[in-house]
Amino acid sequence: MGELIPIVALMIPIVAIWAKHQQKIAEMNVNSTAEATAEKAAQYSSRVSELEDRVRVLERIVTDRGYDIATQIEALRDQRRVDEQDAGVPLSMSRRENV
C-alpha cells in the first residue's frame, strides 16, 4: 500500500494535464461547429432570399397578367387542335378524297 502513494502522487498532474487537453479539444470542436453552422446559415439565407425573389416575380406575373396568360394558353390549345386535324393530309388532296 505504501508503494501506491508515490504512484498516485505522480498520476495527479498527468490526469490534470490530460483533462486540460480534453477541454481544449472540446472547445475547438465547438468553435469549428459554430463556424460551420454560421456558414450554412449564410448559404441558406442567401438561397431563401433568391427563392423569395422568384416567388415575388411569379406572384407579380400571375396577378398582373393572370387572365391574359389563361387566354394565351387556350389559344395555343386551339392552335394545336387545328394543327392535329390538318396533319397527314397531302396538299394536293382534300379530306373528302381520302375518306
Side-chain angles (χ1 to χ4, degrees):
M1 186 71 146
E3 299 98 25
L4 292 178
I5 293 174
I7 294 174
V8 171
L10 291 174
M11 291 292 290
I12 292 173
I14 293 172
V15 170
I17 292 170
W18 178 80
K20 208 180 263 190
H21 178 69
Q22 292 299 319
Q23 183 180 5
K24 286 181 182 180
I25 290 174
E27 287 175 3
M28 289 188 329
N29 285 339
V30 167
N31 289 339
S32 67
T33 303
E35 290 173 6
T37 303
E39 288 175 7
K40 285 184 181 181
Q43 290 174 350
Y44 290 140
S45 173
S46 168
R47 181 72 177 147
V48 166
S49 120
E50 289 174 8
L51 292 174
E52 286 175 348
D53 290 342
R54 286 183 175 189
V55 168
R56 278 192 213 106
V57 168
L58 291 173
E59 286 175 345
R60 188 175 35 205
I61 289 171
V62 169
T63 57
D64 290 350
R65 301 185 320 169
Y67 295 109
D68 187 37
I69 290 173
T71 305
Q72 290 175 359
I73 291 172
E74 288 302 319
L76 290 172
R77 285 184 183 153
D78 293 340
Q79 181 63 36
R80 187 167 40 169
R81 286 185 195 126
V82 169
D83 291 342
E84 288 174 356
Q85 289 174 357
D86 291 338
V89 177
L91 294 175
S92 62
M93 301 176 74
S94 68
R95 279 202 171 268
R96 292 186 180 192
E97 292 175 6
N98 282 341
V99 177

Coordinates of all heavy atoms in Angstrom, one line a residue:
M1 N 0.8 -1.2 0.0 CA 0.0 0.0 0.0 C 0.9 1.3 0.0 O 0.5 2.2 -0.6 CB -0.9 0.0 1.2 CG -1.9 1.0 1.3 SD -3.1 0.7 0.0 CE -4.5 1.4 0.8
G2 N 2.0 1.2 0.7 CA 2.9 2.3 0.7 C 3.5 2.7 -0.6 O 3.9 3.8 -0.9
E3 N 3.6 1.7 -1.5 CA 4.2 1.9 -2.8 C 3.2 2.7 -3.7 O 3.6 3.3 -4.7 CB 4.6 0.6 -3.5 CG 5.6 -0.2 -2.8 CD 4.9 -1.3 -2.0 OE1 3.8 -1.7 -2.3 OE2 5.5 -1.7 -1.0
L4 N 1.9 2.6 -3.4 CA 0.9 3.2 -4.3 C 0.9 4.8 -4.1 O 0.4 5.5 -5.0 CB -0.5 2.6 -4.0 CG -0.7 1.2 -4.4 CD1 -2.1 0.7 -4.1 CD2 -0.5 1.1 -5.9
I5 N 1.3 5.2 -2.9 CA 1.3 6.7 -2.6 C 2.1 7.5 -3.6 O 1.6 8.5 -4.2 CB 1.7 6.9 -1.2 CG1 0.6 6.3 -0.2 CG2 1.8 8.5 -0.9 CD1 1.0 6.4 1.2
P6 N 3.4 7.1 -3.9 CA 4.1 7.9 -4.9 C 3.5 7.8 -6.3 O 3.5 8.8 -7.1 CB 5.5 7.3 -4.9 CG 5.6 6.4 -3.7 CD 4.2 6.1 -3.3
I7 N 2.9 6.6 -6.7 CA 2.3 6.4 -8.0 C 1.1 7.4 -8.1 O 0.9 8.0 -9.1 CB 1.9 5.0 -8.2 CG1 3.2 4.1 -8.3 CG2 1.1 4.8 -9.5 CD1 3.0 2.6 -8.4
V8 N 0.3 7.4 -7.1 CA -0.9 8.3 -7.1 C -0.5 9.7 -7.2 O -1.1 10.6 -7.9 CB -1.8 8.0 -5.9 CG1 -2.9 9.0 -5.7 CG2 -2.4 6.6 -6.0
A9 N 0.6 10.1 -6.4 CA 1.1 11.4 -6.4 C 1.6 11.9 -7.8 O 1.4 13.0 -8.2 CB 2.2 11.6 -5.4
L10 N 2.2 11.0 -8.6 CA 2.6 11.3 -9.9 C 1.5 11.3 -10.9 O 1.5 11.9 -11.9 CB 3.7 10.3 -10.4 CG 5.0 10.4 -9.6 CD1 5.9 9.2 -10.1 CD2 5.7 11.7 -9.9
M11 N 0.4 10.5 -10.6 CA -0.7 10.4 -11.6 C -1.6 11.7 -11.5 O -2.2 12.0 -12.5 CB -1.6 9.2 -11.2 CG -1.0 7.9 -11.5 SD -0.8 7.6 -13.2 CE -2.4 7.3 -13.7
I12 N -1.6 12.4 -10.4 CA -2.5 13.6 -10.3 C -2.1 14.6 -11.3 O -3.0 15.1 -12.1 CB -2.5 14.1 -8.9 CG1 -3.2 13.1 -7.9 CG2 -3.1 15.5 -8.8 CD1 -3.1 13.5 -6.5
P13 N -0.9 15.0 -11.5 CA -0.5 16.0 -12.5 C -0.8 15.5 -14.0 O -1.2 16.3 -14.8 CB 0.9 16.3 -12.4 CG 1.3 15.7 -11.1 CD 0.3 14.7 -10.7
I14 N -0.6 14.2 -14.2 CA -0.8 13.7 -15.5 C -2.3 13.7 -15.9 O -2.7 14.1 -17.0 CB -0.3 12.2 -15.6 CG1 1.2 12.2 -15.5 CG2 -0.8 11.5 -16.9 CD1 1.9 10.9 -15.4
V15 N -3.2 13.4 -14.9 CA -4.6 13.5 -15.1 C -5.0 14.9 -15.3 O -5.9 15.2 -16.2 CB -5.4 12.8 -13.9 CG1 -6.8 13.1 -14.0 CG2 -5.1 11.3 -13.9
A16 N -4.5 15.8 -14.6 CA -4.8 17.2 -14.7 C -4.4 17.7 -16.1 O -5.2 18.5 -16.8 CB -4.1 18.1 -13.7
I17 N -3.2 17.4 -16.6 CA -2.8 17.8 -18.0 C -3.7 17.2 -19.0 O -4.2 17.8 -20.0 CB -1.3 17.4 -18.2 CG1 -0.4 18.2 -17.3 CG2 -1.0 17.5 -19.7 CD1 1.0 17.7 -17.3
W18 N -4.1 15.9 -18.8 CA -5.0 15.2 -19.8 C -6.3 15.9 -19.8 O -6.9 16.1 -20.9 CB -5.1 13.7 -19.4 CG -6.0 12.9 -20.3 CD1 -5.7 12.4 -21.5 CD2 -7.3 12.6 -20.0 NE1 -6.8 11.8 -22.0 CE2 -7.8 11.9 -21.1 CE3 -8.2 12.8 -18.9 CZ2 -9.1 11.4 -21.1 CZ3 -9.5 12.3 -18.9 CH2 -9.9 11.6 -20.1
A19 N -6.9 16.2 -18.7 CA -8.2 16.9 -18.6 C -8.2 18.2 -19.3 O -9.1 18.6 -20.0 CB -8.6 17.0 -17.1
K20 N -7.1 19.0 -19.1 CA -7.0 20.3 -19.7 C -6.9 20.1 -21.2 O -7.5 20.9 -22.0 CB -5.7 21.0 -19.2 CG -5.8 22.5 -19.2 CD -4.5 23.1 -18.7 CE -4.8 23.5 -17.2 NZ -3.6 24.3 -16.7
H21 N -6.2 19.1 -21.7 CA -6.1 18.9 -23.1 C -7.5 18.5 -23.7 O -7.8 19.0 -24.8 CB -5.1 17.7 -23.3 CG -4.9 17.3 -24.8 ND1 -4.4 18.2 -25.7 CD2 -5.3 16.2 -25.4 CE1 -4.4 17.6 -26.9 NE2 -4.9 16.4 -26.7
Q22 N -8.2 17.6 -23.0 CA -9.5 17.3 -23.4 C -10.5 18.5 -23.5 O -11.3 18.6 -24.4 CB -10.1 16.2 -22.5 CG -9.4 14.8 -22.6 CD -9.5 14.2 -24.0 OE1 -10.5 14.3 -24.6 NE2 -8.4 13.7 -24.4
Q23 N -10.3 19.4 -22.6 CA -11.1 20.6 -22.6 C -10.8 21.5 -23.8 O -11.7 22.0 -24.4 CB -10.9 21.4 -21.3 CG -11.8 22.6 -21.1 CD -11.5 23.4 -19.9 OE1 -10.6 23.0 -19.1 NE2 -12.3 24.4 -19.6
K24 N -9.6 21.6 -24.1 CA -9.2 22.4 -25.3 C -9.7 21.7 -26.6 O -10.2 22.4 -27.5 CB -7.6 22.5 -25.4 CG -7.1 23.5 -24.4 CD -5.6 23.6 -24.5 CE -5.0 24.5 -23.5 NZ -3.5 24.6 -23.6
I25 N -9.7 20.4 -26.7 CA -10.2 19.7 -27.8 C -11.7 20.0 -27.9 O -12.2 20.2 -29.0 CB -9.9 18.2 -27.8 CG1 -8.4 18.0 -28.0 CG2 -10.7 17.4 -28.8 CD1 -8.0 16.5 -27.8
A26 N -12.4 19.9 -26.8 CA -13.8 20.2 -26.8 C -14.2 21.6 -27.3 O -15.1 21.8 -28.1 CB -14.4 19.9 -25.5
E27 N -13.4 22.6 -26.8 CA -13.6 24.0 -27.2 C -13.3 24.1 -28.7 O -14.1 24.9 -29.4 CB -12.7 24.9 -26.4 CG -13.1 25.0 -25.0 CD -12.1 25.8 -24.1 OE1 -11.1 26.3 -24.7 OE2 -12.3 26.0 -22.9
M28 N -12.3 23.5 -29.2 CA -12.0 23.6 -30.7 C -13.2 23.0 -31.5 O -13.5 23.5 -32.5 CB -10.7 23.0 -31.0 CG -9.5 23.7 -30.5 SD -7.8 23.2 -30.9 CE -7.9 21.5 -31.2
N29 N -13.7 21.9 -31.0 CA -14.8 21.3 -31.7 C -16.0 22.2 -31.7 O -16.7 22.3 -32.7 CB -15.2 19.9 -31.1 CG -14.2 18.8 -31.5 OD1 -13.5 18.9 -32.5 ND2 -14.1 17.8 -30.6
V30 N -16.3 22.8 -30.6 CA -17.5 23.7 -30.5 C -17.3 24.9 -31.4 O -18.2 25.3 -32.2 CB -17.6 24.2 -29.0 CG1 -18.6 25.4 -29.0 CG2 -18.1 23.0 -28.2
N31 N -16.1 25.4 -31.5 CA -15.8 26.6 -32.3 C -15.9 26.2 -33.8 O -16.5 27.0 -34.6 CB -14.4 27.2 -32.1 CG -14.3 27.9 -30.7 OD1 -15.3 28.3 -30.2 ND2 -13.1 28.0 -30.2
S32 N -15.4 25.1 -34.2 CA -15.5 24.7 -35.6 C -16.9 24.4 -36.0 O -17.3 24.7 -37.1 CB -14.6 23.5 -35.9 OG -15.0 22.3 -35.2
T33 N -17.7 23.8 -35.1 CA -19.1 23.5 -35.4 C -19.9 24.8 -35.5 O -20.7 25.0 -36.4 CB -19.7 22.7 -34.2 OG1 -18.9 21.5 -34.1 CG2 -21.1 22.3 -34.5
A34 N -19.5 25.8 -34.6 CA -20.2 27.1 -34.7 C -19.9 27.8 -36.0 O -20.8 28.4 -36.6 CB -19.8 28.0 -33.5
E35 N -18.6 27.7 -36.5 CA -18.3 28.4 -37.7 C -19.0 27.7 -38.9 O -19.5 28.4 -39.8 CB -16.8 28.3 -37.9 CG -16.0 29.2 -37.0 CD -14.5 29.0 -37.1 OE1 -14.0 28.2 -38.0 OE2 -13.8 29.6 -36.3
A36 N -19.0 26.4 -38.9 CA -19.7 25.7 -40.0 C -21.2 26.0 -40.0 O -21.8 26.1 -41.0 CB -19.5 24.2 -39.8
T37 N -21.8 26.1 -38.8 CA -23.2 26.4 -38.7 C -23.5 27.8 -39.2 O -24.4 28.0 -40.0 CB -23.7 26.2 -37.3 OG1 -23.4 24.9 -36.8 CG2 -25.2 26.5 -37.2
A38 N -22.6 28.7 -38.9 CA -22.8 30.1 -39.4 C -22.7 30.2 -40.9 O -23.4 30.9 -41.6 CB -21.7 31.0 -38.7
E39 N -21.7 29.4 -41.5 CA -21.6 29.4 -42.9 C -22.8 28.8 -43.6 O -23.3 29.3 -44.6 CB -20.3 28.6 -43.3 CG -19.0 29.2 -43.0 CD -17.8 28.4 -43.3 OE1 -18.0 27.3 -43.9 OE2 -16.7 28.8 -42.9
K40 N -23.3 27.7 -43.1 CA -24.5 27.1 -43.6 C -25.7 28.0 -43.5 O -26.5 28.1 -44.4 CB -24.8 25.8 -42.9 CG -23.9 24.7 -43.4 CD -24.3 23.3 -42.7 CE -23.3 22.2 -43.1 NZ -23.6 21.0 -42.5
A41 N -25.8 28.7 -42.4 CA -26.9 29.6 -42.2 C -26.8 30.8 -43.2 O -27.9 31.2 -43.8 CB -26.9 30.2 -40.8
A42 N -25.6 31.2 -43.5 CA -25.5 32.3 -44.5 C -25.9 31.8 -45.9 O -26.5 32.5 -46.7 CB -24.0 32.8 -44.5
Q43 N -25.5 30.5 -46.2 CA -25.8 30.0 -47.5 C -27.3 29.8 -47.6 O -27.9 30.1 -48.7 CB -25.1 28.6 -47.7 CG -23.6 28.7 -47.9 CD -23.0 27.3 -47.9 OE1 -23.6 26.3 -47.6 NE2 -21.7 27.3 -48.3
Y44 N -28.0 29.3 -46.6 CA -29.4 29.1 -46.6 C -30.1 30.4 -46.7 O -31.1 30.5 -47.4 CB -29.9 28.3 -45.4 CG -29.4 26.8 -45.4 CD1 -29.0 26.2 -44.2 CD2 -29.5 26.1 -46.5 CE1 -28.6 24.9 -44.2 CE2 -29.1 24.7 -46.5 CZ -28.7 24.2 -45.3 OH -28.3 22.8 -45.3
S45 N -29.6 31.4 -46.0 CA -30.2 32.7 -46.0 C -30.2 33.3 -47.5 O -31.2 33.8 -47.9 CB -29.5 33.6 -45.1 OG -30.0 34.9 -45.2
S46 N -29.0 33.1 -48.1 CA -28.9 33.6 -49.5 C -29.9 32.8 -50.4 O -30.5 33.4 -51.2 CB -27.4 33.3 -49.9 OG -27.3 33.5 -51.3
R47 N -30.0 31.5 -50.2 CA -30.8 30.7 -51.1 C -32.3 31.1 -50.8 O -33.1 31.2 -51.8 CB -30.6 29.2 -50.8 CG -31.4 28.3 -51.6 CD -30.9 28.3 -53.0 NE -31.7 27.3 -53.8 CZ -32.1 27.4 -55.0 NH1 -31.6 28.4 -55.7 NH2 -32.8 26.5 -55.6
V48 N -32.7 31.3 -49.6 CA -34.0 31.7 -49.2 C -34.4 33.0 -49.9 O -35.5 33.2 -50.4 CB -34.2 31.7 -47.7 CG1 -35.5 32.4 -47.3 CG2 -34.2 30.3 -47.2
S49 N -33.4 33.9 -49.8 CA -33.7 35.3 -50.4 C -33.9 35.2 -51.9 O -34.7 35.8 -52.5 CB -32.6 36.2 -50.0 OG -31.9 36.7 -51.1
E50 N -33.1 34.3 -52.6 CA -33.3 34.1 -54.0 C -34.6 33.5 -54.3 O -35.3 33.9 -55.2 CB -32.2 33.1 -54.5 CG -30.8 33.7 -54.6 CD -29.8 32.7 -55.0 OE1 -30.1 31.6 -55.4 OE2 -28.6 33.0 -54.9
L51 N -35.1 32.5 -53.5 CA -36.4 31.9 -53.7 C -37.5 32.9 -53.5 O -38.5 32.9 -54.2 CB -36.5 30.7 -52.9 CG -35.6 29.5 -53.3 CD1 -35.7 28.4 -52.2 CD2 -35.9 29.0 -54.6
E52 N -37.3 33.7 -52.5 CA -38.4 34.8 -52.2 C -38.5 35.7 -53.4 O -39.6 36.1 -53.7 CB -38.0 35.5 -50.9 CG -38.3 34.7 -49.6 CD -37.8 35.4 -48.4 OE1 -37.1 36.5 -48.5 OE2 -38.2 35.0 -47.3
D53 N -37.4 36.1 -54.0 CA -37.4 37.0 -55.1 C -38.1 36.3 -56.3 O -38.9 37.0 -57.0 CB -36.0 37.4 -55.6 CG -35.3 38.3 -54.6 OD1 -36.0 38.9 -53.7 OD2 -34.0 38.4 -54.6
R54 N -37.8 35.0 -56.5 CA -38.5 34.3 -57.6 C -40.0 34.2 -57.3 O -40.8 34.4 -58.2 CB -38.0 32.9 -57.7 CG -36.6 32.8 -58.3 CD -36.2 31.4 -58.5 NE -34.9 31.3 -59.2 CZ -34.4 30.2 -59.6 NH1 -35.0 29.1 -59.4 NH2 -33.3 30.2 -60.2
V55 N -40.4 34.0 -56.1 CA -41.8 33.9 -55.8 C -42.5 35.3 -56.0 O -43.6 35.4 -56.5 CB -42.1 33.4 -54.3 CG1 -43.5 33.6 -53.9 CG2 -41.7 32.0 -54.2
R56 N -41.8 36.4 -55.6 CA -42.4 37.7 -55.9 C -42.6 37.9 -57.3 O -43.6 38.5 -57.8 CB -41.4 38.8 -55.3 CG -41.6 39.0 -53.8 CD -40.9 40.2 -53.4 NE -40.4 40.0 -52.0 CZ -39.2 39.7 -51.6 NH1 -38.2 39.7 -52.5 NH2 -38.9 39.5 -50.4
V57 N -41.6 37.5 -58.2 CA -41.8 37.7 -59.6 C -43.0 36.9 -60.1 O -43.8 37.4 -60.9 CB -40.5 37.3 -60.3 CG1 -40.7 37.2 -61.8 CG2 -39.4 38.3 -60.0
L58 N -43.1 35.6 -59.7 CA -44.2 34.8 -60.1 C -45.5 35.4 -59.7 O -46.5 35.4 -60.5 CB -44.0 33.4 -59.6 CG -42.8 32.6 -60.2 CD1 -42.7 31.3 -59.5 CD2 -43.1 32.4 -61.7
E59 N -45.6 35.9 -58.5 CA -46.8 36.5 -58.0 C -47.2 37.7 -58.8 O -48.4 37.9 -59.2 CB -46.7 36.9 -56.5 CG -46.7 35.7 -55.6 CD -46.4 36.1 -54.1 OE1 -46.0 37.3 -53.9 OE2 -46.7 35.3 -53.2
R60 N -46.2 38.5 -59.2 CA -46.5 39.7 -60.0 C -46.9 39.3 -61.4 O -47.9 39.8 -61.9 CB -45.2 40.5 -60.1 CG -45.4 41.8 -60.7 CD -44.2 42.7 -60.7 NE -43.0 41.8 -60.9 CZ -41.8 42.1 -60.4 NH1 -41.6 43.2 -59.8 NH2 -40.8 41.3 -60.6
I61 N -46.3 38.2 -61.9 CA -46.8 37.8 -63.3 C -48.2 37.3 -63.2 O -49.0 37.6 -64.1 CB -45.8 36.7 -63.8 CG1 -44.5 37.3 -64.2 CG2 -46.4 35.9 -65.0 CD1 -43.4 36.2 -64.5
V62 N -48.5 36.5 -62.2 CA -49.8 35.9 -62.1 C -50.9 36.9 -61.8 O -51.9 36.9 -62.4 CB -49.9 34.8 -61.0 CG1 -51.3 34.4 -60.7 CG2 -49.0 33.6 -61.5
T63 N -50.6 37.9 -61.0 CA -51.6 38.9 -60.6 C -51.7 39.9 -61.7 O -52.8 40.4 -61.9 CB -51.3 39.6 -59.3 OG1 -49.9 40.1 -59.3 CG2 -51.4 38.6 -58.1
D64 N -50.6 40.3 -62.4 CA -50.7 41.4 -63.4 C -51.3 40.8 -64.7 O -52.1 41.5 -65.3 CB -49.3 41.9 -63.7 CG -48.7 42.7 -62.5 OD1 -49.5 43.0 -61.6 OD2 -47.5 43.0 -62.6
R65 N -50.9 39.6 -65.1 CA -51.4 39.1 -66.4 C -52.0 37.8 -66.3 O -52.0 37.0 -67.2 CB -50.2 39.0 -67.3 CG -49.5 40.3 -67.6 CD -48.4 40.2 -68.6 NE -47.7 39.0 -68.5 CZ -46.8 38.5 -69.4 NH1 -46.6 39.3 -70.4 NH2 -46.2 37.4 -69.2
G66 N -52.7 37.5 -65.2 CA -53.3 36.2 -64.9 C -54.3 35.8 -66.0 O -54.3 34.7 -66.5
Y67 N -55.2 36.7 -66.3 CA -56.2 36.3 -67.3 C -55.7 36.3 -68.7 O -56.1 35.5 -69.5 CB -57.4 37.4 -67.2 CG -58.1 37.3 -65.9 CD1 -57.9 38.3 -64.9 CD2 -58.9 36.2 -65.5 CE1 -58.6 38.3 -63.7 CE2 -59.5 36.2 -64.3 CZ -59.4 37.2 -63.4 OH -60.0 37.1 -62.2
D68 N -54.7 37.1 -69.0 CA -54.0 37.1 -70.3 C -53.3 35.8 -70.5 O -53.4 35.3 -71.6 CB -53.1 38.3 -70.4 CG -52.5 38.5 -71.8 OD1 -53.2 38.2 -72.7 OD2 -51.3 38.8 -71.9
I69 N -52.7 35.3 -69.5 CA -51.9 34.0 -69.6 C -52.9 32.9 -69.9 O -52.7 32.0 -70.8 CB -51.1 33.7 -68.4 CG1 -49.9 34.7 -68.3 CG2 -50.6 32.3 -68.4 CD1 -49.2 34.6 -67.0
A70 N -54.0 32.9 -69.2 CA -55.0 31.8 -69.4 C -55.6 31.9 -70.9 O -55.7 30.9 -71.5 CB -56.2 32.0 -68.4
T71 N -55.8 33.1 -71.4 CA -56.2 33.3 -72.8 C -55.2 32.8 -73.7 O -55.5 32.1 -74.7 CB -56.5 34.7 -73.0 OG1 -57.5 35.2 -72.1 CG2 -57.1 35.0 -74.4
Q72 N -53.9 33.1 -73.5 CA -52.8 32.6 -74.4 C -52.7 31.1 -74.4 O -52.5 30.5 -75.4 CB -51.5 33.2 -73.9 CG -51.4 34.7 -74.2 CD -50.1 35.3 -73.7 OE1 -49.3 34.6 -73.1 NE2 -50.0 36.6 -73.9
I73 N -52.9 30.5 -73.2 CA -52.8 29.0 -73.1 C -54.0 28.4 -73.9 O -53.8 27.4 -74.7 CB -52.9 28.5 -71.6 CG1 -51.6 28.9 -70.9 CG2 -53.1 27.0 -71.6 CD1 -51.6 28.7 -69.4
E74 N -55.2 28.9 -73.8 CA -56.3 28.4 -74.5 C -56.1 28.6 -76.0 O -56.4 27.7 -76.8 CB -57.6 29.0 -74.1 CG -58.1 28.6 -72.7 CD -58.3 27.1 -72.7 OE1 -58.8 26.5 -73.6 OE2 -57.9 26.5 -71.6
A75 N -55.5 29.7 -76.4 CA -55.2 29.9 -77.9 C -54.2 28.9 -78.4 O -54.4 28.4 -79.5 CB -54.7 31.4 -78.1
L76 N -53.2 28.6 -77.6 CA -52.2 27.6 -78.0 C -52.9 26.2 -78.1 O -52.6 25.5 -79.1 CB -51.1 27.6 -77.0 CG -50.1 28.8 -77.1 CD1 -49.1 28.7 -75.9 CD2 -49.4 28.8 -78.4
R77 N -53.8 25.9 -77.2 CA -54.5 24.6 -77.3 C -55.4 24.5 -78.5 O -55.4 23.5 -79.2 CB -55.4 24.4 -76.0 CG -54.6 24.1 -74.8 CD -55.5 23.8 -73.7 NE -54.7 23.5 -72.5 CZ -55.1 23.7 -71.2 NH1 -56.3 24.2 -71.0 NH2 -54.3 23.4 -70.2
D78 N -56.1 25.6 -78.8 CA -56.9 25.7 -80.1 C -56.0 25.5 -81.3 O -56.4 24.8 -82.2 CB -57.7 27.0 -80.1 CG -58.8 27.0 -79.0 OD1 -59.1 26.0 -78.5 OD2 -59.2 28.2 -78.7
Q79 N -54.9 26.2 -81.3 CA -54.0 26.1 -82.5 C -53.5 24.7 -82.6 O -53.4 24.2 -83.7 CB -52.8 27.1 -82.3 CG -51.8 27.1 -83.4 CD -52.4 27.5 -84.7 OE1 -53.3 28.4 -84.7 NE2 -52.1 27.0 -85.8
R80 N -53.2 24.0 -81.5 CA -52.7 22.6 -81.6 C -53.8 21.7 -82.1 O -53.5 20.8 -82.9 CB -52.2 22.1 -80.2 CG -51.5 20.8 -80.4 CD -50.8 20.4 -79.2 NE -51.4 20.7 -77.9 CZ -51.0 20.3 -76.7 NH1 -50.0 19.5 -76.7 NH2 -51.6 20.6 -75.6
R81 N -55.0 21.9 -81.8 CA -56.1 21.1 -82.3 C -56.3 21.3 -83.8 O -56.5 20.3 -84.5 CB -57.4 21.5 -81.6 CG -57.5 21.0 -80.2 CD -58.9 21.3 -79.6 NE -58.8 21.1 -78.1 CZ -59.2 22.0 -77.2 NH1 -59.7 23.2 -77.6 NH2 -59.1 21.8 -76.0
V82 N -56.1 22.5 -84.3 CA -56.2 22.8 -85.7 C -55.1 22.1 -86.4 O -55.2 21.5 -87.5 CB -56.2 24.3 -85.9 CG1 -56.0 24.6 -87.4 CG2 -57.5 24.9 -85.4
D83 N -53.8 22.2 -85.9 CA -52.7 21.5 -86.5 C -52.8 20.0 -86.5 O -52.4 19.4 -87.5 CB -51.4 21.9 -85.7 CG -51.0 23.4 -85.9 OD1 -51.6 24.0 -86.8 OD2 -50.2 23.9 -85.1
E84 N -53.4 19.4 -85.5 CA -53.6 18.0 -85.4 C -54.6 17.5 -86.5 O -54.5 16.5 -87.1 CB -54.0 17.5 -84.0 CG -52.9 17.6 -83.0 CD -53.4 17.3 -81.6 OE1 -54.6 17.1 -81.4 OE2 -52.6 17.3 -80.7
Q85 N -55.6 18.3 -86.7 CA -56.7 18.0 -87.7 C -56.1 18.0 -89.1 O -56.5 17.2 -89.9 CB -57.9 18.9 -87.6 CG -58.7 18.7 -86.3 CD -59.8 19.8 -86.2 OE1 -59.9 20.7 -87.0 NE2 -60.6 19.7 -85.1
D86 N -55.2 18.9 -89.4 CA -54.7 19.0 -90.7 C -53.5 18.1 -90.9 O -53.0 18.0 -92.1 CB -54.2 20.5 -91.0 CG -55.5 21.4 -91.1 OD1 -56.5 20.9 -91.4 OD2 -55.3 22.6 -90.9
A87 N -53.0 17.5 -90.0 CA -51.8 16.6 -90.1 C -52.0 15.4 -90.9 O -53.1 14.8 -90.8 CB -51.3 16.2 -88.7
G88 N -51.1 15.1 -91.8 CA -51.2 13.9 -92.6 C -52.0 14.0 -93.9 O -52.1 13.1 -94.7
V89 N -52.5 15.2 -94.3 CA -53.3 15.3 -95.5 C -52.3 16.0 -96.5 O -51.8 17.1 -96.3 CB -54.5 16.2 -95.3 CG1 -55.3 16.4 -96.6 CG2 -55.4 15.5 -94.2
P90 N -52.1 15.3 -97.7 CA -51.3 16.0 -98.7 C -51.9 17.3 -99.2 O -53.2 17.4 -99.2 CB -51.2 14.9 -99.8 CG -51.6 13.7 -99.2 CD -52.5 14.0 -98.1
L91 N -51.1 18.2 -99.7 CA -51.6 19.5 -100.1 C -52.5 19.3 -101.4 O -53.4 20.1 -101.6 CB -50.5 20.4 -100.4 CG -49.7 20.9 -99.2 CD1 -48.5 21.7 -99.7 CD2 -50.5 21.6 -98.2
S92 N -52.2 18.4 -102.2 CA -53.0 18.2 -103.5 C -54.3 17.5 -103.3 O -55.1 17.5 -104.2 CB -52.1 17.5 -104.5 OG -51.9 16.2 -104.0
M93 N -54.5 16.9 -102.1 CA -55.7 16.1 -101.9 C -56.6 16.8 -100.8 O -56.0 17.4 -99.9 CB -55.4 14.7 -101.5 CG -54.6 14.0 -102.5 SD -54.1 12.3 -101.9 CE -55.6 11.5 -102.0
S94 N -57.8 16.7 -100.9 CA -58.7 17.2 -99.9 C -59.1 16.1 -99.0 O -58.9 14.9 -99.3 CB -60.0 17.9 -100.5 OG -60.8 16.8 -101.0
R95 N -59.7 16.4 -97.9 CA -60.0 15.3 -96.9 C -61.1 14.4 -97.4 O -61.1 13.2 -97.1 CB -60.5 16.0 -95.6 CG -59.5 16.4 -94.7 CD -60.0 16.5 -93.3 NE -58.9 16.8 -92.3 CZ -58.3 15.8 -91.7 NH1 -58.6 14.6 -91.9 NH2 -57.3 16.1 -90.9
R96 N -62.0 14.9 -98.2 CA -63.1 14.1 -98.8 C -62.6 13.0 -99.7 O -63.1 11.9 -99.8 CB -64.1 14.9 -99.5 CG -64.9 15.8 -98.5 CD -65.9 16.6 -99.2 NE -66.6 17.4 -98.1 CZ -67.7 18.0 -98.3 NH1 -68.3 17.9 -99.5 NH2 -68.2 18.7 -97.4
E97 N -61.5 13.3 -100.4 CA -61.0 12.3 -101.4 C -60.3 11.1 -100.6 O -60.3 10.0 -101.1 CB -59.9 13.0 -102.3 CG -60.5 14.0 -103.2 CD -59.5 14.7 -104.0 OE1 -58.3 14.3 -103.9 OE2 -59.8 15.6 -104.7
N98 N -59.8 11.4 -99.4 CA -59.1 10.3 -98.6 C -60.2 9.4 -98.0 O -59.9 8.3 -97.7 CB -58.2 10.9 -97.5 CG -56.9 11.4 -98.1 OD1 -56.5 11.0 -99.2 ND2 -56.3 12.3 -97.3
V99 N -61.3 9.9 -97.7 CA -62.3 9.1 -96.9 C -63.0 8.1 -97.8 O -63.1 7.6 -98.6 CB -63.4 10.1 -96.3 CG1 -64.4 9.3 -95.6 CG2 -62.7 11.1 -95.4

